[in-house]
Amino acid sequence: MKKQKEDMIVAGVMSGTSADGINVALVRIRSGHARMYPKFELLGHAEHSYPKKVRAAVLAAMNATRASVADLARLNFLLGELYSDAVLSTERQFRLKADLVGCHGQTLYHQGKPQRFLGRKVAATWQTGEGAIIAARVGAPVISDFRPADMAAGGHGAPLVPFLDYILFRDARLGRIVQNIGGIANLTAIAAGGAATDLIALDTGPGNMVIDAVTQKLFGHPFDRNGRIAASGKILDRVLNEILRRDFFRKKPPKSAGREEFGREFVTEFVRRCGRSAKSDLVATATALTARSIADALRRFVLAIPGPTGKLAKENFQEMILSGGGAKNSTLVAMLTGELAALGLRLRFSDEFGLPSAAKEAVAFAVLAHETWHNRTSNIPSATGANRPAVLGKISYC
C-alpha cells in the first residue's frame, strides 16, 4: 500500500444555504498520528460569486415542491464545473496546487429527522455538485457528500463543523461558544478542558437566510449590506416573540435546520405577520430574530445545563467566537453583542485566531476531507446525534 503523505495541501470548497457563491480555502495539513488531531495552516482563501442565473436556479431548486429531473441533473454537473473553476482560479491566485479537494456541495434539501415516505421512515439530505467532474478538471482526488455517512449512523448529518471548532478553539482554562452565522446559524459549546465527546453543538435557527430573503423581497437587494437597512428600522417585538415560540426553537438538540424550516414558506409567513409595518422594520426584525434565537438557544441548551461540579454551565463559559458572513453585518453584530452582555459573555471573532470568518467553513471541509482520506472518523456523535463515529464522504479519483 502506498504510504500517505504526511503534509498535504487540501482545497476546501463551501457553498452555503445563502447560495451567494463559492468559498475556497487552500490549507496545508499535517496528519495527526493515532488519535492526535491534525495541524493545519491556511495558505489562501478566495470567494467566487455565483452567476446571477445560477444563483436563481439554485434558490429555485432548494426545497422545491416540483422540479425538473433533467434540470436537477444538469445543475449537479454545472456546479461541478463551477467548483472546479473556483479551485483552479484560487490555485492560480496563490500559485499552489492542491493534493486533495474537500467539497461540501450545494444543499438542495436537508431533513435530518426521519419522516414517513412510501411506507417507511427515512431521513434525507442532498448536496449537489458532481465530485467526479471536480476531480477530472482539478487533477486531484475529491471527497464530497459528507453528510450521509453520519445519517446512516443515526445522526442528523449536521453540524459537522464542530470537529474543526474543537481542534482550533478548545482551551484548558476558557470555556468558549463558537458561533457561525451563514445561511443557518450554528453553535459549538466547548467547556474549559472538555473532551470532544462532551461538547454541545446545534443549529440555532436562521442566520442570514431570512434577512437576505426579506431584503431581496422588499428592497430588491440580495442582502442588507453592513446591516444598514436594519439599522434604520425598529424591531417588531410582538412578531419576534410569536416566531420564537415555534417548535424548532424549543426542541432539544441534536437538531439541524435548513430552508425546510426557514425558506420561502417561512418568509411568506414572516412578512404576513409583520402586516403594514415599514419595510425597514421587517429587515430589523429579521436581523433581531437571528441574534435573539442564538441567545435563546444558549439559555435553553447550553447555559442552563448543570456542569460536572454541580454549578451552572454558564460559569464555565466566558466568550463567544463569531465567524461566517453574518460577522460582516455590523447591526447584527451589535444586536448579538447586547444579547451576550446580558449572559455575561464577550464577543470575539475567528479572525483573531488566524482564521478569517469567511473562510472557516471551507477550512472545515478541507480538514474533514483530510481525515476521510486517511480513513479516520470526523463526525462528533454528541453534536449530530449519531450512534457511533463515522468516516465521512465519498471519494472521486482523478
Side-chain angles (χ1 to χ4, degrees), residues 95-152:
R95 298 182 180 181
L96 296 168
K97 178 71 179 76
D99 301 303
L100 181 70
V101 178
C103 182
H104 173 268
Q106 181 66 64
T107 298
L108 295 186
Y109 184 77
H110 182 77
Q111 174 214 312
K113 185 177 180 181
Q115 295 180 15
R116 188 159 292 281
F117 176 71
L118 300 180
R120 188 159 183 168
K121 278 194 168 185
V122 294
T125 192
W126 187 6
Q127 285 74 45
T128 194
E130 183 52 56
I133 294 290
I134 306 169
R137 303 292 183 265
V138 175
V142 174
I143 315 294
S144 59
D145 212 15
F146 288 86
R147 300 190 185 276
D150 179 82
M151 296 174 75

Side-chain angles (χ1 to χ4, degrees), residues 36-314:
M36 291 175 60
Y37 292 103
K39 295 182 179 180
F40 63 90
E41 174 191 4
L42 178 61
L43 303 176
H45 169 247
E47 300 180 55
H48 307 266
S49 297
Y50 277 145
K52 190 174 181 179
K53 289 183 178 179
V54 173
R55 183 171 191 261
V58 167
L59 290 173
M62 286 179 173
N63 198 31
T65 54
R66 309 192 79 161
S68 161
V69 173
D71 285 349
L72 292 175
R74 293 174 183 131
L75 184 62
N76 178 49
F77 277 72
L78 174 61
L79 288 176
E81 299 285 1
L82 292 177
Y83 292 146
S84 304
D85 293 346
V87 173
L88 291 169
S89 173
T90 307
E91 287 181 332
R92 288 192 297 270
Q93 179 180 344
F94 294 98
R95 298 182 180 181
L96 296 168
K97 178 71 179 76
D99 301 303
L100 181 70
V101 178
C103 182
H104 173 268
Q106 181 66 64
T107 298
L108 295 186
Y109 184 77
H110 182 77
Q111 174 214 312
K113 185 177 180 181
Q115 295 180 15
R116 188 159 292 281
F117 176 71
L118 300 180
R120 188 159 183 168
K121 278 194 168 185
V122 294
T125 192
W126 187 6
Q127 285 74 45
T128 194
E130 183 52 56
I133 294 290
I134 306 169
R137 303 292 183 265
V138 175
V142 174
I143 315 294
S144 59
D145 212 15
F146 288 86
R147 300 190 185 276
D150 179 82
M151 296 174 75
H156 281 236
L160 297 182
V161 175
F163 185 80
L164 174 73
D165 290 338
Y166 184 77
I167 293 172
L168 187 59
F169 297 114
R170 71 189 190 278
D171 189 274
R173 294 174 296 176
L174 280 177
R176 287 171 170 157
I177 294 155
V178 187
Q179 180 74 51
N180 186 74
I181 303 179
I184 293 295
N186 51 75
L187 68 78
T188 305
I190 309 167
T197 52
D198 298 328
L199 62 76
I200 299 169
L202 65 142
D203 286 353
T204 59
N208 302 313
M209 184 183 293
V210 176
I211 303 169
D212 292 350
V214 171
T215 302
Q216 178 70 57
K217 186 180 185 73
L218 300 182
F219 292 89
H221 303 313
F223 60 95
D224 181 14
R225 187 178 296 277
N226 204 30
R228 291 171 187 163
I229 298 173
S232 68
K234 65 179 181 180
I235 298 168
L236 305 173
D237 285 309
R238 175 189 59 80
V239 174
L240 189 56
N241 292 332
E242 288 174 357
I243 290 174
L244 287 171
R245 287 196 288 267
R246 291 171 68 103
D247 288 344
F248 175 84
F249 299 111
R250 294 169 176 266
K251 182 184 174 185
K252 293 180 180 180
K255 61 180 180 177
S256 56
R259 288 189 179 272
E260 297 69 40
E261 287 80 19
F262 301 109
R264 284 184 292 268
E265 295 83 0
F266 178 87
V267 170
T268 298
E269 179 190 349
F270 175 86
V271 171
R272 181 188 62 78
R273 284 178 181 270
C274 293
R276 297 179 178 274
S277 302
K279 293 191 293 184
S280 59
D281 293 351
L282 273 69
V283 179
T285 304
T287 305
L289 173 61
T290 296
R292 194 83 58 85
S293 60
I294 291 170
D296 191 46
L298 289 173
R299 291 187 189 93
R300 288 176 184 269
F301 308 122
V302 179
L303 304 183
I305 297 174
T309 63
K311 297 180 180 180
L312 287 181
K314 69 186 298 182

Side-chain angles (χ1 to χ4, degrees), residues 312-328:
L312 287 181
K314 69 186 298 182
E315 298 175 24
N316 297 329
F317 293 98
Q318 290 79 40
E319 57 190 26
M320 173 179 280
I321 300 168
L322 183 63
S323 63
K328 299 178 182 178

